[in-house]
Amino acid sequence: MSTTTTELPLLIEEVECVGVERLSPTFVRVELASPALADLGVDGPFYDQRIKLIFAEPGHPLPSVAGVDETWFASWLDRPVAERGHMRTYTLRALRGSGADTRLVVDFVVHGGDCGPGGSWGAQAQVGDRLVLMAPRRGHAYGGVEFVPGDATSLLLVGDETAVPAVAAVLEQLDVDARGHVFLEVPYAADVLTLQHPVGVNVRWLPREGATRGEALHAAVLEHLGTGPVPRVVDDDEVDPDLWETPAYSSSGEDVDTTAQVVGHDFDGLYAWIAGESKVVTGLRRALVKDLGIDRHQVAFMGYWRLGVAMRS
Ligand SMILES: Cc1cc2nc3c(=O)[nH]c(=O)nc-3n(C[C@H](O)[C@H](O)[C@H](O)COP(=O)(O)OP(=O)(O)OC[C@H]3O[C@@H](n4cnc5c(N)ncnc54)[C@H](O)[C@@H]3O)c2cc1C
């Protein structure tokens, strides 16, 4: 196994799959291990901490990360796919064990149809398979936690199957007196998982069972917010596959005033975190910000993936 220099402010390490569990038709839970995971950590809760995984191009070896330095990412991008493999974004679902025996849990969504290197790897994962992991190193700023509720008194967490690992991790780490509502759309009723959450948080699962993606989620969220039906009209060419609008960052380049105070409207105290397929998230963004007037400082909207589009490495 390769071990990188401890000088780097993040972990870039080869990890080995040491456990695979099929949780449901759509979720495969994988445990990844390396002695280097002893150094994995963040300053505060992990919440929805994102990580990067690199999958080898089929028939080719994993890219070597032995002795990498800060210039590695730029040179990695310049290499042919057969050499560099494919990088995708996942969620740190949980950590198990400690020290050199730490295992990192990742829940992979597996799905039929058009499938990329990440989903294919998850569907076929076996003990002994290897990946490259990029993750936060304890004591260094890394970013990648978007769940920032501040002093919100009411939480709204909304996601599709790709956001279930993040929402599940956030719920486990909330204060016991947290209050709020969670809406999770998943492909099948058999994908409903048992989640640990505060008693004041209501979790509602919405199995799609073949219906149009996002339809049930959109309707349930708007009903919860007390509006009449707001149509979900988003044209494909209006969807930014990299949609990322948080109180601190805007992928569309909208001004973000991080000092603004939000007062005097119906949604005082609300903090909403919404992630999933970009078109579905765009529809919710339009409804919440444009139609309902919810201040964007109270909402994080994140396109986790885009139907028909391979995520960029
Ligand atoms: C911050 C963040 C955290 C994430 N956490 C997780 C996580 O914990 N677990 C997880 O499984 N995913 C997670 N995702 C989503 C994941 O990165 C994308 O689904 C990604 O596209 C998967 O890569 P791929 O190689 O399978 O497919 P790609 O090569 O990106 O795409 C190939 C094809 O597969 C389709 N596709 C991709 N994902 C799906 C899907 N879920 N359902 C149906 N079709 C799909 C695409 O539309 C495309 O047509 C996360 C994304 C972000 C940004």
Side-chain angles (χ1 to χ4, degrees):
M1 180 171 300
S2 60
T3 306
T4 61
T5 162
T6 52
E7 303 303 314
L8 278 180
L10 75 167
L11 295 180
I12 306 180
E13 295 289 338
E14 195 172 312
V15 292
E16 180 176 341
C17 173
V18 294
V20 182
E21 185 187 356
R22 185 92 190 197
L23 299 179
S24 77
T26 298
F27 297 110
V28 173
R29 175 160 292 171
V30 169
E31 273 192 14
L32 303 170
S34 156
L37 296 188
D39 295 331
L40 197 160
V42 294
D43 186 17
F46 282 107
Y47 287 139
D48 57 340
Q49 178 72 58
R50 64 177 173 265
I51 54 171
K52 299 282 181 184
L53 296 173
I54 299 179
F55 308 91
E57 168 76 355
H60 295 271
L62 264 184
S64 169
V65 288
V68 297
D69 61 20
E70 290 84 354
T71 64
W72 174 80
F73 184 65
S75 59
W76 175 83
L77 272 178
D78 286 341
R79 284 145 73 181
V81 162
E83 257 178 56
R84 67 173 162 92
H86 307 267
M87 186 183 292
R88 295 289 183 269
T89 308
Y90 282 83
T91 301
L92 190 164
R93 172 65 185 86
L95 289 180
R96 293 177 176 163
S98 61
D101 291 325
T102 302
R103 277 112 55 218
L104 166 63
V105 178
V106 180
D107 287 351
F108 283 83
V109 169
V110 298
H111 53 90
D114 196 8
C115 207
S120 306
W121 189 92
Q124 298 162 34
Q126 291 185 2
V127 168
D129 290 350
R130 301 180 93 82
L131 293 174
V132 170
L133 164 74
M134 297 170 71
R137 184 188 292 280
R138 187 175 298 108
H140 295 269
Y142 179 85
V145 174
E146 302 294 354
F147 180 78
V148 186
D151 52 8
T153 49
S154 173
L155 301 173
L156 174 63
L157 296 168
V158 178
D160 70 7
E161 55 270 36
T162 61
V164 166
V167 171
V170 166
L171 290 176
E172 282 174 10
Q173 295 172 76
L174 288 176
D175 289 342
V176 285
D177 58 354
R179 305 191 69 77
H181 293 265
V182 175
F183 296 89
L184 294 169
E185 188 181 291
V186 287
Y188 309 108
D191 291 318
V192 173
L193 307 176
T194 302
L195 302 185
Q196 189 190 314
H197 58 85
V199 286
V201 176
N202 182 275
V203 179
R204 183 158 164 217
W205 293 86
L206 301 158
R208 197 177 302 128
E209 299 290 359
T212 304
R213 181 180 292 284
E215 210 169 66
L217 195 62
H218 190 94
V221 170
L222 293 189
E223 186 192 356
H224 164 71
L225 291 173
T227 76
V230 179
R232 194 172 68 99
V233 188
V234 179
D235 291 335
D236 284 343
D237 58 9
E238 295 176 298
V239 180
D240 172 6
D242 300 318
L243 170 68
W244 208 267
E245 300 284 340
T246 70
Y249 176 82
S250 166
S251 62
S252 67
E254 280 178 20
D255 280 344
V256 179
D257 177 1
T258 54
T259 62
Q261 296 290 314
V262 182
V263 286
H265 58 65
D266 291 337
F267 299 103
D268 276 355
L270 175 74
Y271 172 75
W273 179 107
I274 299 175
E277 200 279 331
S278 291
K279 182 171 179 174
V280 176
V281 176
T282 301
L284 283 166
R285 179 173 200 273
R286 199 161 287 181
L288 267 65
V289 174
K290 295 220 161 81
D291 300 336
L292 296 180
I294 298 181
D295 195 287
R296 53 163 296 199
H297 294 90
Q298 295 171 275
V299 195
F301 297 97
M302 291 151 293
Y304 267 21
W305 66 287
R306 174 71 182 115
L307 191 66
V309 176
M311 291 291 105
R312 275 195 305 271
S313 283

